[in-house]
């Protein structure tokens, strides 16, 4: 007889079932791990700028500009309308503000309230912002209006994503 250790039927069955179970567990876990990691690996199309208006149209008074973008949510594609308040400040620099109130997400309007003629006003809860988007202390919003990324090319204003400016009172 040889000095080899023989594998008993019980050990063979134990090894086989452990191996098959391991493959089955890996097969079940792989999609879950991919689902969790996939958003990190997916390329984000940041920096998408959309032509909104001619630079000649922009004045010192905030004007509302609207445009649409194509949005894809899983298998559903839709056109989403975006809006921005755009004006030139005292230094002749372009300022593009989001119209979404930082308090509860209502839409702000420029000079829509007679009591506050040169401010952005949110009719939902009385939120007020200065012309530069800063929230006015003592009103519901606790943060300034987000500013849109923008660039100017060939006399056209292109807007990107709205970014929080931070701060808050």
């Amino acid at each position: 007889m040889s000095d080899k250790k023989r594998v008993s039927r019980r050990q063979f069955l134990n090894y086989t079932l452990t191996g098959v179970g391991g493959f089955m567990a890996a097969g079940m876990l792989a999609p879950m791990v991919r689902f969790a990691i996939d958003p990190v690996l997916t390329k984000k199309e940041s920096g998408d700028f959309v032509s909104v208006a001619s630079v000649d149209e922009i004045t010192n008074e905030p004007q509302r500009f609207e445009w649409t973008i194509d949005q894809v949510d899983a298998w559903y594609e839709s056109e989403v309308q975006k809006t921005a308040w755009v004006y030139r400040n005292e230094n002749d620099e372009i300022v593009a503000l989001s119209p979404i109130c930082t308090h509860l997400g209502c839409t702000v309007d420029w000079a829509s309230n007679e009591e506050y003629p040169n401010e952005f006003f949110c009719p939902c809860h009385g939120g007020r912002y200065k012309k530069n988007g800063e929230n006015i202390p003592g009103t519901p919003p606790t943060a300034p209006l987000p500013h849109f990324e923008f660039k100017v090319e060939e006399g056209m204003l292109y807007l990107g994503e709205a970014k929080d400016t931070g701060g808050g009172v």
Side-chain angles (χ1 to χ4, degrees):
M1 292 214 191
S2 69
D3 287 339
K4 282 195 206 175
K5 276 190 151 188
R6 296 184 73 98
V7 177
S8 69
R9 276 189 244 164
R10 180 172 285 172
Q11 287 176 323
F12 175 75
L13 195 55
N14 191 11
Y15 294 153
T16 304
L17 290 176
T18 301
V20 169
F23 278 113
M24 289 176 65
M28 289 187 331
L29 287 175
M32 290 185 240
V33 170
R34 176 146 193 260
F35 178 76
I37 295 176
D38 191 45
V40 175
L41 301 177
T42 303
K43 286 184 181 179
K44 185 179 179 208
E45 294 181 21
S46 62
D48 287 343
F49 287 87
V50 178
S51 175
V52 174
S54 170
V55 176
D56 299 334
E57 297 177 44
I58 301 170
T59 64
N60 292 342
E61 191 74 13
Q63 295 175 320
R64 185 182 193 125
F65 290 100
E66 297 178 345
W67 69 98
T68 58
I69 61 167
D70 293 326
Q71 180 173 308
V72 179
D73 294 320
W75 61 89
Y76 182 72
E77 295 181 30
S78 61
E79 281 191 356
V80 177
Q81 186 168 2
K82 297 278 192 169
T83 306
W85 286 100
V86 182
Y87 70 96
R88 289 184 183 274
N89 64 13
E90 308 82 42
N91 301 328
D92 206 35
E93 298 168 338
I94 295 174
V95 178
L97 299 171
S98 170
I100 307 301
C101 180
T102 57
H103 176 231
L104 289 176
C106 298
T107 303
V108 300
D109 283 321
W110 171 253
S112 63
N113 189 318
E114 294 173 1
E115 294 178 39
Y116 314 108
N118 292 320
E119 295 177 357
F120 288 103
F121 181 74
C122 178
C124 296
H125 300 100
R128 294 170 30 217
Y129 299 89
K130 297 177 186 174
K131 185 176 181 181
N132 64 0
E134 281 183 45
N135 54 309
I136 295 177
T139 63
T142 57
L145 291 172
H147 284 68
F148 279 98
E149 294 177 331
F150 72 90
K151 64 182 178 180
V152 176
E153 289 181 359
E154 299 176 10
M156 294 298 291
L157 174 67
Y158 292 84
L159 294 181
E161 290 292 316
K163 302 284 184 186
D164 289 333
T165 53
V169 176

